[in-house]
Amino acid sequence: MESTSQLNHQEYGAVDRAPLPRNMIENSMFEEEPDVVDLAKESPSYHIDSDDVTYEPRSSRLLVRGLGETELDEDEEDYESSARLLGMSFMNRSSSQRSTASSYTHQQPSDSCSKPSTKTTVMGVVLLILVISIFMVIYFVPGCTFTKKGCHKTNSSMDNIYPISTSKELFPWTDLRLPLSVRPVHYNISLQPDFNLMTFQGRVLIIVEVLEETKNIVLHSSDLNITKVIFESQEVQFLEYNPWQQIAIKFPENLKKQKYILDISYRANLSNSYDGFYNSSYVDTAGTKRVLAATQFEPLAARKAFPCFDEPAFKSTFIIKITRETKYISLSNMPKVKSTDLKSGLHEDEFEKSVKMSTYLVAFIVAEFSSHSKQVSNTMVSVYAVPDKTDQVHYALETACNLLDFYNKFFEIDYPLRKLDLVAIPDFLAGAMENWGLITFRETTLLVGNQSSSFDKQLVTSVVAHELAHQWFGNLVTMRWWNDLWLNEGFATYMQYMSIENVFPLLDIHTEFLNVRFKALAKDALNSSHPVSTFVSTPEQVEEMFDSVSYEKVSKQNLNITEMMNSWTVHKGFPLVTVKRSGTRVTLSQEHFLLNAENSTDYSSLWHIPLTYVNDTCTLIASCKQVFHLKEKTATLELPGDVKWLKFNLRSEGFYIVHYDEEGWSALIAALKENVTILPSEDRAALINNIFALSRLDKLPFKQVLNLMEYIKNETETAPLTEALFQLAEIHRLLDKRSELNLASRVTAYIDEHFGSFMASQSWEVESSVSKMTLRSALLETACALNINNCTSQAKQLFDRWLQSNKTFQIPSDLMMTVFKVAALTDKGWVELLESYKHTIYDTEKRKMLEALASTQDVRKIIWILQKSLDGSEIQNQEFPLVIHTVCRNFAGYLYAWDFVKENWEKITQKFPVGSFAIQSIITSATSQFSTKTHLTEVQSFLSSLGAKGSQMRIVLEAIETIKQNMRWMERNLKTLQIWY
């Protein structure tokens, strides 16, 4: 029998903003004079001193050219770059439809690109991209990155002291970044994996061009056993400096300005983590273990598969050859040219010469996969999966074809390759990776069964749309260095949502886009955040750039890009706009929204903010929107007449939070109580989000939050209801983890009073609307977790029907998590789910089962699932961050999970790279619910002891800051909560 106390400690799932899969803005290309570097004709030929690589707002945000299907001859290098063409092409269409203007040609003059109306539209698109981008950049750079001097040197007197190589000789280079005196032109790569020994042999021939006379060639290599280096047919010695993952070849005389051939032979172990050329395995439905090898090179792991110039600016062409056993197939970026039978059961596959691309986009796979294909224009689109799951590729195939067609028409630059493969990898850490022509995915982000609902298809569609957008923004046009990762990720994220809105309008992507912006605001409010474009140098810092700030900080405003850009990309955080009224005069002021000003070094930030607003006389149609540009610390706005209320940041399109004076808040709250539809649902959700944030900032009392929440009883829309549930769940979580059980039960009673009738009215039958499924999932999962109404009884009935049908009965996909979590609270239900988890081939179900298993209240089961997900024996390693996240949401498991992380940190960092999204998720999940001085001291002590294993990660600063913020909120609001309800 289940006790009420057990259910009260069952935490929230659907309303919890769990870390998103890797979703993967290109602003400079839309300026009137875009900064473009064409490495084929303008590669800098001078050495960069350490002081030269600090971030410059415009000049460092350079775009690197990617050539088309054939390499241009040197006498054709006067063609305009693809970056300019793509930027100008984009400027020729609005955000809602493509213009009828003709395509640009190579001969088109660069200064004849746009009309004012089109430019205005593009400016709006780019600011939307900016807000998307901030969501991703925030996760990854240490605190020292944001000091004036940065992290790249500790003592200027040491700049010219050469490090000691592994052979004890002086290493001839003193920077983490490679010298610009030599660039790669072309790679010939030959690889032969051995799945018996889990090793591979490799050979790479690199055509290099010396741009400035030098005595050294420096490139990257990591964890490779180099056996021979030949330069221009002569064997030469080389030096290694492992801390910087660099090797160097020294010459007695200067190399002249010309091309040379560098030939390197090596061998290595297939990686057992999730980067480089790594091994993976799975068990098929017949019980046979299958092995495969795949790659994940972004950001800095191509050097683990072949020696290379592993920086995004060093674009080159590639020819890949792979030797494999007969039963396997091999895939790479380009179509296969030929396959040669080498006898002895081996074949060598050779692939076409690639377009020019960065090393992080190179990819190859050796596996037993099957596929389905479809032609789109000049491109053959194929989706690959393990043979047992090839019937689950059809939705992804149709989706990819429709999106590819949309992007080809929208950009007016066709996808440049003859093939596009999408591959589901059984063991893959990232959500997906945009390798040019060979996009890799987790199975759960690519495969859907025939019975899957639109609720499940929304995720697959989003990830496919994002990765396809990267084929233009990121692959064809690339940031020069990782400090401007937001140029890749922000724009791809914007295109992801825009394309789905156009091609798949029924998937209701608006609510998801709003949620990710709210998540970005929460992260960017911390002092440990970072600017969208920020200095990074070490591998760990680069890894940490893949966060919500880089992906999600964007806005939808129309304004001058050149004037606006610096204020949004070189400052961390976002503005708080305060609105005060006196009759028809409105005083507007801006300041940095910062939850914790402790140790803050930036108090003077000013943003160029295009403030949008409506008033009570006109709210719901597009013509109601008015715009005021706030560029100074304070400004005044005159209203044309007397109005009852003002609502700023229409539909939450801008990346800022708004605070009103007492009269302003009272008027808005009164209006909502009188007529809930007086504002769009996005604005109602934003008011809820903003008022909780302002309460955490101590800008208004918590009782004002409760005043606004009274209107929620009349709310019916998904966005505001799920936002309100999320915010209340956060409060319940903190109280529960502090064992403030009386107060936690009051929050439960409050949720019951305000949401109970709506929860009780939800159907448990199949639903077709994505919006309704999203809302129902949040409401019923919360109801069952808190034992409200008869939710658990209904969930048990569905689970019993599922068991009685031999697990063939289709539980509605949006209810599956709720049903499985309730079932997992009993021993019988947990065992049944574990058995199903081991054997199901449907990954959307499998992941929901795992999350339910990790939600158990049984300590023995908690410890078992933690151990199994880390050692990878019965639960794949890639799921360990999810297991930690889920266990930590429950009262029974969060302290065990924290202890487990501490005790197994060495093993964890062997599985997941320091600074990676997985490591960030683990630290955040394990510490974000703490709110006491004792836990703060314990976390500080442990994280500071990590040294090279993680103490300098920015996520460490974020974790400590979050605990302090939790402590402050509790100190300020416990008394209010005690007399609240």
Side-chain angles (χ1 to χ4, degrees):
M1 185 175 72
E2 298 168 343
S3 68
T4 301
S5 61
Q6 279 181 316
L7 286 172
N8 282 345
H9 290 307
Q10 186 76 11
E11 283 284 339
Y12 311 84
V15 295
D16 177 69
R17 293 193 189 124
L20 300 174
R22 179 191 177 282
N23 288 333
M24 322 324 165
I25 47 198
E26 193 70 72
N27 282 355
S28 294
M29 67 174 63
F30 305 129
E31 299 180 20
E32 293 183 2
E33 294 297 331
D35 292 320
V36 179
V37 166
D38 185 338
L39 287 183
K41 70 175 183 181
E42 281 191 283
S43 295
S45 58
Y46 53 87
H47 167 70
I48 292 184
D49 292 322
S50 57
D51 289 337
D52 292 331
V53 295
T54 56
Y55 174 72
E56 298 176 13
R58 286 188 78 247
S59 61
S60 72
R61 196 175 299 115
L62 302 177
L63 307 178
V64 182
R65 177 183 188 179
L67 298 182
E69 292 188 37
T70 58
E71 183 180 8
L72 296 180
D73 296 329
E74 291 184 49
D75 60 353
E76 297 179 287
E77 293 289 4
D78 57 337
Y79 282 0
E80 290 188 301
S81 72
S82 297
R84 182 182 295 274
L85 289 173
L86 185 53
M88 297 171 93
S89 173
F90 187 82
M91 292 174 73
N92 273 328
R93 57 207 36 79
S94 68
S95 60
S96 60
Q97 64 181 14
R98 158 186 172 194
S99 87
T100 58
S102 61
S103 301
Y104 281 86
T105 65
H106 283 295
Q107 290 75 29
Q108 185 82 14
S110 63
D111 57 355
S112 62
C113 60
S114 64
K115 299 178 181 179
S117 59
T118 304
K119 181 177 178 181
T120 300
T121 301
V122 174
M123 290 174 179
V125 168
V126 173
L127 188 55
L128 175 58
I129 293 160
L130 181 60
V131 173
I132 294 177
S133 299
I134 292 183
F135 185 66
M136 180 183 165
V137 176
I138 291 183
Y139 279 113
F140 307 101
V141 181
C144 56
T145 299
F146 312 113
T147 64
K148 185 175 181 180
K149 294 183 179 179
C151 305
H152 60 292
K153 58 181 181 180
T154 57
N155 186 336
S156 59
S157 65
M158 301 293 287
D159 284 355
N160 295 319
I161 296 180
Y162 292 98
I164 304 299
S165 68
T166 55
S167 62
K168 307 304 180 183
E169 296 181 54
L170 290 179
F171 193 79
W173 185 243
T174 62
D175 201 328
L176 281 160
R177 298 280 297 275
L178 296 180
L180 299 177
S181 54
V182 179
R183 76 173 183 99
V185 176
H186 175 75
Y187 295 80
N188 271 12
I189 304 170
S190 299
L191 298 161
Q192 181 176 350
D194 184 330
F195 288 138
N196 294 315
L197 300 176
M198 287 301 166
T199 61
F200 68 97
Q201 294 182 344
R203 181 183 179 190
V204 58
L205 280 74
I206 311 174
I207 300 175
V208 298
E209 182 178 6
V210 174
L211 303 173
E212 179 185 5
E213 292 189 0
T214 178
K215 291 184 178 180
N216 307 302
I217 295 179
V218 182
L219 63 160
H220 289 110
S221 174
S222 178
D223 299 327
L224 301 178
N225 181 9
I226 296 175
T227 56
K228 183 183 291 187
V229 177
I230 297 175
F231 182 78
E232 289 293 295
S233 302
Q234 297 294 320
E235 186 169 356
V236 294
Q237 300 301 308
F238 66 97
L239 301 175
E240 290 184 278
Y241 185 58
N242 292 330
W244 291 351
Q245 301 174 345
Q246 293 176 354
I247 61 173
I249 301 130
K250 297 170 66 174
F251 302 94
E253 303 293 336
N254 277 338
L255 297 175
K256 303 301 181 183
K257 294 182 181 180
Q258 64 183 58
K259 294 179 180 178
Y260 301 90
I261 297 178
L262 181 63
D263 182 352
I264 304 176
S265 299
Y266 59 97
R267 59 178 181 267
N269 293 322
L270 288 168
S271 171
N272 58 9
S273 60
Y274 291 96
D275 60 354
F277 193 21
Y278 73 93
N279 72 79
S280 176
S281 64
Y282 65 96
V283 177
D284 65 19
T285 52
T288 303
K289 182 179 180 179
R290 306 287 183 177
V291 296
L292 62 99
T295 57
Q296 171 60 38
F297 289 163
E298 188 180 39
L300 306 173
R303 64 192 68 176
K304 295 185 176 183
F306 57 98
C308 56
F309 295 76
D310 199 10
E311 295 181 6
F314 287 115
K315 288 194 170 186
S316 183
T317 56
F318 298 81
I319 290 179
I320 309 291
K321 296 180 181 179
I322 296 178
T323 300
R324 58 172 174 84
E325 295 179 36
T326 303
K327 67 178 180 178
Y328 295 100
I329 66 167
S330 67
L331 300 170
S332 189
N333 305 83
M334 304 299 293
K336 188 187 300 183
V337 174
K338 63 180 180 179
S339 184
T340 304
D341 187 351
L342 303 179
K343 311 302 181 184
S344 303
L346 296 178
H347 291 261
E348 182 185 69
D349 296 333
E350 180 177 341
F351 298 88
E352 283 182 9
K353 183 178 182 180
S354 75
V355 293
K356 266 195 170 183
M357 61 185 180
S358 304
T359 49
Y360 78 89
L361 294 171
V362 175
F364 31 87
I365 297 169
V366 181
E368 298 173 84
F369 284 164
S370 301
S371 67
H372 288 278
S373 304
K374 185 176 180 180
Q375 188 80 22
V376 177
S377 187
N378 296 319
T379 302
M380 180 62 72
V381 181
S382 303
V383 181
Y384 287 82
V386 300
D388 291 334
K389 300 180 181 180
T390 50
D391 63 334
Q392 300 178 42
V393 306
H394 299 291
Y395 177 78
L397 179 59
E398 291 300 317
T399 298
C401 290
N402 289 334
L403 287 167
L404 182 62
D405 183 61
F406 172 81
Y407 286 144
N408 280 338
K409 293 174 181 176
F410 185 85
F411 294 129
E412 292 185 356
I413 295 178
D414 283 352
Y415 172 76
L417 307 187
R418 293 194 298 109
K419 68 100 170 172
L420 174 62
D421 296 338
L422 295 80
V423 185
I425 307 293
D427 201 17
F428 190 74
L429 185 60
M433 176 60 209
E434 67 268 19
N435 314 301
W436 213 346
L438 184 64
I439 308 175
T440 47
F441 297 78
R442 273 196 182 199
E443 290 182 321
T444 191
T445 60
L446 189 66
L447 305 180
V448 289
N450 295 328
Q451 302 299 321
S452 296
S453 70
S454 298
F455 190 71
D456 296 320
K457 292 175 181 177
Q458 187 189 66
L459 171 62
V460 171
T461 308
S462 291
V463 179
V464 171
H466 184 98
E467 303 309 323
L468 261 64
H470 269 309
Q471 305 302 298
W472 284 264
F473 290 96
N475 297 8
L476 186 63
V477 179
T478 312
M479 76 274 145
R480 185 170 182 82
W481 180 242
W482 299 105
N483 59 307
D484 280 320
L485 177 66
W486 64 284
L487 293 170
N488 277 19
E489 298 299 347
F491 206 95
T493 303
Y494 167 74
M495 290 305 301
Q496 161 192 337
Y497 291 108
M498 189 276 286
S499 63
I500 294 174
E501 188 175 56
N502 281 271
V503 183
F504 303 97
L506 296 181
L507 288 182
D508 186 44
I509 204 66
H510 304 282
T511 300
E512 175 61 22
F513 194 20
L514 189 65
N515 284 337
V516 298
R517 298 206 299 274
F518 288 161
K519 183 177 180 181
L521 285 167
K523 192 168 185 66
D524 212 11
L526 299 175
N527 192 35
S528 53
S529 181
H530 60 90
V532 173
S533 183
T534 191
F535 176 82
V536 293
S537 60
T538 68
E540 293 77 17
Q541 290 173 345
V542 172
E543 288 276 4
E544 284 197 293
M545 288 301 292
F546 290 81
D547 71 350
S548 56
V549 177
S550 298
Y551 278 92
E552 309 297 349
K553 189 169 178 180
V554 174
S555 172
K556 283 187 177 179
Q557 309 304 328
N558 295 329
L559 43 93
N560 184 281
I561 299 301
T562 303
E563 180 181 347
M564 172 276 298
M565 280 298 296
N566 285 347
S567 71
W568 289 97
T569 60
V570 302
H571 296 316
K572 70 178 178 181
F574 60 88
L576 167 64
V577 176
T578 301
V579 181
K580 296 181 180 179
R581 280 188 60 191
S582 178
T584 59
R585 170 163 289 194
V586 179
T587 301
L588 303 165
S589 61
Q590 64 165 296
E591 61 185 289
H592 187 180
F593 187 101
L594 192 61
L595 287 175
N596 174 24
E598 180 181 304
N599 300 322
S600 176
T601 58
D602 186 5
Y603 294 98
S604 60
S605 297
L606 288 177
W607 287 263
H608 178 167
I609 315 169
L611 297 173
T612 58
Y613 64 98
V614 294
N615 60 54
D616 63 289
T617 64
C618 183
T619 60
L620 298 178
I621 59 177
S623 60
C624 297
K625 180 172 73 173
Q626 301 181 66
V627 180
F628 180 86
H629 287 265
L630 179 61
K631 306 176 185 178
E632 307 299 330
K633 179 73 173 176
T634 62
T636 58
L637 167 67
E638 286 292 335
L639 300 176
D642 191 27
V643 298
K644 293 180 181 179
W645 51 262
L646 293 168
K647 167 62 176 70
F648 280 80
N649 198 4
L650 187 62
R651 298 182 185 274
S652 194
E653 292 176 346
F655 200 73
Y656 56 94
I657 281 179
V658 183
H659 180 35
Y660 304 89
D661 57 19
E662 185 173 353
E663 177 186 344
W665 275 114
S666 297
L668 281 169
I669 292 171
L672 286 176
K673 288 180 179 178
E674 181 180 342
N675 179 7
V676 72
T677 63
I678 194 67
L679 287 171
S681 61
E682 299 96 328
D683 281 305
R684 305 196 301 268
L687 284 173
I688 294 169
N689 174 272
N690 285 192
I691 203 166
F692 274 95
L694 290 164
S695 172
R696 289 193 293 273
L697 192 63
D698 205 23
K699 287 288 186 179
L700 47 71
F702 191 68
K703 64 181 181 181
Q704 187 76 307
V705 176
L706 300 178
N707 289 338
L708 174 63
M709 290 298 292
E710 284 305 304
Y711 106 89
I712 208 74
K713 295 177 182 178
N714 299 320
E715 184 59 80
T716 60
E717 294 294 327
T718 298
L721 283 168
T722 53
E723 180 61 22
L725 277 175
F726 170 78
Q727 297 293 346
L728 291 170
E730 288 286 282
I731 294 173
H732 185 279
R733 177 181 60 82
L734 286 176
L735 293 170
D736 192 39
K737 298 303 192 299
R738 280 177 67 111
S739 296
E740 295 281 357
L741 301 184
N742 182 45
L743 294 180
S745 66
R746 293 185 187 184
V747 176
T748 299
Y750 182 86
I751 292 173
D752 190 1
E753 179 182 340
H754 288 74
F755 297 87
S757 61
F758 208 24
M759 291 170 171
S761 69
Q762 297 301 302
S763 165
W764 290 76
E765 302 298 325
V766 174
E767 173 60 67
S768 59
S769 164
V770 174
S771 178
K772 290 180 180 179
M773 284 190 282
T774 301
L775 176 58
R776 179 171 72 171
S777 176
L779 288 168
L780 294 183
E781 190 167 343
T782 302
C784 283
L786 301 179
N787 203 21
I788 294 174
N789 297 323
N790 65 339
C791 181
T792 56
S793 297
Q794 294 272 22
K796 289 175 186 175
Q797 289 178 21
L798 282 186
F799 186 73
D800 288 342
R801 286 185 65 186
W802 183 67
L803 290 180
Q804 291 163 9
S805 70
N806 197 26
K807 303 178 182 178
T808 60
F809 169 70
Q810 288 294 316
I811 301 172
S813 59
D814 59 308
L815 300 180
M816 196 173 288
M817 182 77 76
T818 297
V819 170
F820 287 165
K821 281 188 174 182
V822 170
L825 293 175
T826 67
D827 287 339
K828 178 183 177 182
W830 197 89
V831 170
E832 289 283 2
L833 284 170
L834 179 60
E835 195 65 20
S836 296
Y837 173 81
K838 291 178 179 178
H839 295 101
T840 184
I841 62 171
Y842 297 104
D843 292 280
T844 51
E845 292 183 7
K846 192 179 186 78
R847 194 167 173 86
K848 291 168 186 174
M849 290 173 183
L850 177 60
E851 200 163 339
L853 290 168
S855 298
T856 178
Q857 305 295 314
D858 188 320
V859 172
R860 293 170 301 172
K861 294 184 176 73
I862 290 171
I863 294 173
W864 181 89
I865 203 167
L866 287 170
Q867 291 172 338
K868 296 302 180 182
S869 59
L870 182 58
D871 66 33
S873 58
E874 297 186 56
I875 299 171
Q876 291 175 313
N877 285 140
Q878 66 179 18
E879 304 294 3
F880 180 71
L882 173 67
V883 169
I884 287 289
H885 176 77
T886 307
V887 169
C888 286
R889 280 159 44 194
N890 298 308
F891 181 82
Y894 82 108
L895 292 178
Y896 286 98
W898 168 237
D899 287 340
F900 188 85
V901 168
K902 289 187 296 181
E903 293 166 5
N904 293 276
W905 187 254
E906 185 70 26
K907 293 180 181 178
I908 292 171
T909 54
Q910 289 173 2
K911 300 284 187 181
F912 310 106
V914 172
S916 66
F917 189 86
I919 291 292
Q920 295 176 64
S921 174
I922 290 165
I923 292 177
T924 299
S925 298
T927 62
S928 62
Q929 45 270 308
F930 294 148
S931 61
T932 66
K933 178 65 175 177
T934 299
H935 280 133
L936 173 63
T937 302
E938 183 179 343
V939 171
Q940 285 177 317
S941 176
F942 171 71
L943 294 179
S944 64
S945 71
L946 297 180
K949 292 296 183 180
S951 65
Q952 296 303 309
M953 291 187 296
R954 188 175 62 256
I955 197 66
V956 169
L957 303 177
E958 182 182 315
I960 293 170
E961 190 176 352
T962 298
I963 297 172
K964 291 179 178 179
Q965 175 59 29
N966 291 343
M967 292 168 61
R968 283 191 295 270
W969 193 91
M970 282 294 181
E971 291 167 2
R972 289 197 301 263
N973 293 293
L974 270 179
K975 290 183 179 180
T976 301
L977 292 171
Q978 287 166 353
I979 61 173
W980 162 35
Y981 195 77

